[in-house]
Amino acid sequence: QQMSQHAANGLPGRVKLLNVDNMNPNVKRVEYAVRGAIVQRAVQIEKELKEGVKKPFDEVIKANIGDAHAMGQKPITFLRQVLALCAYPELLEDDKFPADAKQRARRILEACGGHSIGAYSSSQGIDCIRQDVARYIEKRDGGIPSNPDNIYLATGASDAIVTMLKMLVCGEGRDRTGVMISIPQYPLYSAALADLAAVQISYYLDEDKCWSLDVAELKRAVDAARQHCNPRVLCIINPGNPTGQVQSRQCIEDVIRFAKDERLFLMADEVYQDNVYAEGCKFHSFKRVLFEMGPEYSTAVEMASFHSTSKCYMGECGFRGGYMEVINMDPEVKAQLTKLVSVRLCPPVPGQALLDLVVNPPQPDEPSYHQFTKERATVLATLAEKARLTEQIFNTVPGITCNPVQGAMYTFPRIALPQKAIDKATEEGLSPDMLYCMRLLEEEGICLVPGSGFGQREGTFHFRMTILPPTEKLKIVLQKIREFHVRFTQEFS
């Protein structure tokens, strides 16, 4: 009794069976900056504020993660109406709900075991939803066929991305699979590669050309990597996260040619496909460009592309809805993929239902159409306005340079830091941009992620900030960062 009492209080008992020395070493190598040390400190500060500790600010503004609803974005009415009906079918008798919302809910419920979204679905996802996804892709891509059998519904895009990487990683030593990821990158990729003990091959985006991707840089990276691993995969995020660039059609063609020549499997992360703001920028799906380049490419390049309910105008992160489409996959490998996803039973059914509404929104002849299109347009117009505002204000600050936010929901400005600040950070064992972001959090209550969490060119410093706070709050955030930057620079010069 006494022994267990002691152990429960964390007093020295016997050494734990599972300890930091004998746990999976790959897990220890995983880092995920958007929820890392700085965010943990932000949560602590929020607690302190609640307990009445005096701070120079009265709330913490978290601009660290693309979590739209947490930042005050309103859910789209139609999406929530249908989900409410699915969750509580008694509401189908209620005349507060429009007829088209009821019709969608009935269709989804009919596809569920026991007519309940509490039932497991098939592992690849509900059939009629996969058919809707395939139709959506066909329409988006100007009629290029999409086969529902190539659609896998997933727990957000993240889950599908990790599953796909798991399928692709093999070999030992110099034959270990190498995966090409952009720097700066979204840390899901580096984390997944660490977890799978794959080799990360970094290729750098060109900050001076608005974070564009250059095939010569891809070639440099792949040639260097061939000395120590077997490069098999090329990951692309378009529109970009954390950099917000939108790739031109020409660039996508070049990337596809490169993938074919170098025999690389393409992974196209396209979760921000509706988030395009800049004049002259347009979203081109990798699949459409691949097929428009003709059979020499469309029959040869193997690819998976990803989409999610968490971004765009929906911002429904918590439902964990997403899909992937696989193209030109070996049928035997596809059978193995289906087996692998079946081990996890199925993606969350409410997330699948939500995805169905995203790929099959209200049509012009339906009662919800007007409100739906208005709400959708408002969200996207507000984001476009915030993208312009962010770039504009940051570029008035001496020592901050900010590329146009062409798409997605982030900005990745470059910050000039005085040598004394760099020395101070080194002394404290921090990266200089981590010191900067920690100080910003302590002094202004603003939570950003240092650029070092995403990767950046040696000797440059950045931070990533979401453009999601409400416009008035965003103006305050930008103003506070501006004042802080001036103060920080003076203190260390």
Side-chain angles (χ1 to χ4, degrees):
Q1 177 62 42
Q2 229 175 347
M3 172 64 203
S4 62
Q5 201 55 51
H6 279 187
N9 294 331
L11 296 170
R14 58 171 79 104
V15 175
K16 298 282 187 199
L17 287 177
L18 174 63
N19 59 53
V20 175
D21 298 324
N22 68 16
M23 68 175 280
N24 180 341
N26 295 334
V27 173
K28 289 194 284 188
R29 288 209 303 273
V30 170
E31 283 179 22
Y32 190 61
V34 298
R35 293 206 171 179
I38 200 131
V39 185
Q40 287 154 14
R41 177 65 190 129
V43 170
Q44 219 176 343
I45 291 176
E46 282 185 317
K47 249 196 209 118
E48 290 171 15
L49 282 170
K50 269 202 188 99
E51 289 159 6
V53 178
K54 281 279 163 274
K55 303 268 177 196
F57 46 85
D58 46 22
E59 66 164 339
V60 174
I61 300 173
K62 292 204 190 89
N64 60 298
I65 197 163
D67 191 352
H69 291 193
M71 298 308 302
Q73 185 177 307
K74 291 276 173 282
I76 302 286
T77 307
F78 180 75
L79 303 184
R80 288 301 182 89
Q81 283 174 332
V82 179
L83 286 164
L85 292 162
C86 288
Y88 192 62
E90 278 82 347
L91 293 172
L92 287 162
E93 307 309 314
D94 189 321
D95 36 14
K96 281 197 207 60
F97 290 84
D100 51 349
K102 289 182 177 178
Q103 181 262 319
R104 297 308 166 86
R106 287 197 181 98
R107 179 168 174 261
I108 291 165
L109 288 169
E110 269 160 32
C112 294
H115 301 294
S116 167
I117 58 168
Y120 288 130
S121 75
S122 66
S123 302
Q124 236 178 296
I126 293 171
D127 283 351
C128 70
I129 299 181
R130 286 177 17 231
Q131 286 159 14
D132 288 350
V133 170
R135 267 196 297 268
Y136 161 84
I137 293 171
E138 275 178 20
K139 192 175 162 198
R140 180 197 70 186
D141 292 344
I144 293 158
S146 172
N147 179 353
D149 198 41
N150 291 334
I151 307 289
Y152 288 78
L153 305 191
T155 309
S158 308
D159 180 50
I161 289 165
V162 172
T163 301
M164 203 58 240
L165 287 169
K166 195 177 277 182
M167 297 293 296
L168 284 153
V169 173
C170 73
E172 290 302 323
R174 282 190 62 163
D175 290 329
R176 192 67 177 155
T177 295
V179 179
M180 303 184 69
I181 64 174
S182 62
I183 298 294
Q185 54 105 26
Y186 178 57
L188 165 71
Y189 290 89
S190 54
L193 298 180
D195 187 18
L196 296 166
V199 180
Q200 176 178 322
I201 304 170
S202 302
Y203 64 87
Y204 289 89
L205 301 175
D206 186 346
E207 184 168 13
D208 297 334
K209 293 191 179 143
C210 204
W211 297 115
S212 67
L213 192 162
D214 178 16
V215 172
E217 168 59 15
L218 291 179
K219 185 78 181 123
R220 176 206 66 75
V222 83
D223 288 348
R226 286 220 160 92
Q227 311 306 310
H228 60 89
C229 70
N230 175 20
R232 299 180 69 198
V233 191
L234 171 56
C235 298
I236 306 281
I237 309 175
N238 177 51
N241 172 9
T243 41
Q245 83 290 3
V246 177
Q247 287 177 359
S248 68
R249 192 196 157 90
Q250 182 59 54
C251 172
I252 294 172
E253 282 187 23
D254 293 345
V255 168
I256 290 171
R257 267 188 215 101
F258 175 82
K260 179 175 179 282
D261 295 346
E262 300 288 342
R263 291 188 57 79
L264 296 168
F265 187 102
L266 258 180
M267 288 178 58
D269 177 341
E270 298 175 328
V271 303
Y272 298 99
Q273 54 191 264
D274 292 335
N275 299 104
V276 176
Y277 318 119
E279 285 297 312
C281 283
K282 182 175 184 295
F283 170 74
H284 301 277
S285 80
F286 264 78
K287 182 184 179 190
R288 180 173 189 161
V289 176
L290 175 67
F291 278 78
E292 288 175 351
M293 287 169 74
E296 182 196 343
Y297 292 94
S298 64
T299 58
V301 176
E302 291 161 54
M303 185 177 106
S305 61
F306 306 90
H307 194 18
S308 161
T309 59
S310 301
K311 310 299 175 192
C312 302
Y313 61 92
M314 303 81 73
E316 293 281 11
C317 303
F319 280 98
R320 311 309 298 124
Y323 74 74
M324 95 173 138
E325 180 181 28
V326 295
I327 291 156
N328 294 325
M329 184 176 267
D330 178 308
E332 288 180 47
V333 173
K334 199 159 164 294
Q336 294 289 330
L337 172 62
T338 305
K339 175 188 77 178
L340 185 61
V341 300
S342 72
V343 175
R344 308 265 285 276
L345 293 167
C346 70
V349 175
Q352 295 186 45
L354 180 71
L355 179 68
D356 190 52
L357 308 171
V358 170
V359 296
N360 182 18
Q363 297 307 303
D365 57 348
E366 293 184 311
S368 301
Y369 179 76
H370 176 72
Q371 185 181 7
F372 174 84
T373 39
K374 191 174 156 213
E375 288 179 11
R376 181 180 184 275
T378 304
V379 171
L380 293 174
T382 307
L383 282 167
E385 169 56 28
K386 294 197 277 200
R388 279 191 298 275
L389 187 74
T390 302
E391 178 204 350
Q392 209 179 328
I393 293 180
F394 275 148
N395 283 324
T396 64
V397 187
I400 298 185
T401 40
C402 181
N403 270 318
V405 181
Q406 296 175 334
M409 33 182 78
Y410 314 97
T411 176
F412 199 67
R414 185 162 166 177
I415 47 178
L417 298 181
Q419 189 56 47
K420 276 186 187 161
I422 297 170
D423 297 342
K424 171 93 169 125
T426 314
E427 196 181 301
E428 292 187 16
L430 296 173
S431 64
D433 44 19
M434 177 59 113
L435 173 75
Y436 182 93
C437 288
M438 273 297 189
R439 288 281 300 268
L440 176 66
L441 175 63
E442 296 290 349
E443 293 174 25
E444 300 288 356
I446 294 168
C447 182
L448 306 178
V449 192
S452 46
F454 299 87
Q456 53 198 348
R457 279 199 184 274
E458 194 60 39
T460 68
F461 305 109
H462 301 79
F463 58 75
R464 183 187 85 157
M465 180 182 107
T466 73
I467 60 167
L468 292 170
T471 310
E472 289 317 305
K473 194 172 273 190
L474 182 66
K475 285 180 182 162
I476 296 168
V477 169
L478 293 167
Q479 191 52 41
K480 282 183 157 195
I481 294 173
R482 180 188 184 154
E483 289 162 11
F484 168 80
H485 187 84
V486 172
R487 204 167 62 232
F488 184 89
T489 307
Q490 277 168 349
E491 181 185 340
F492 287 104
S493 55

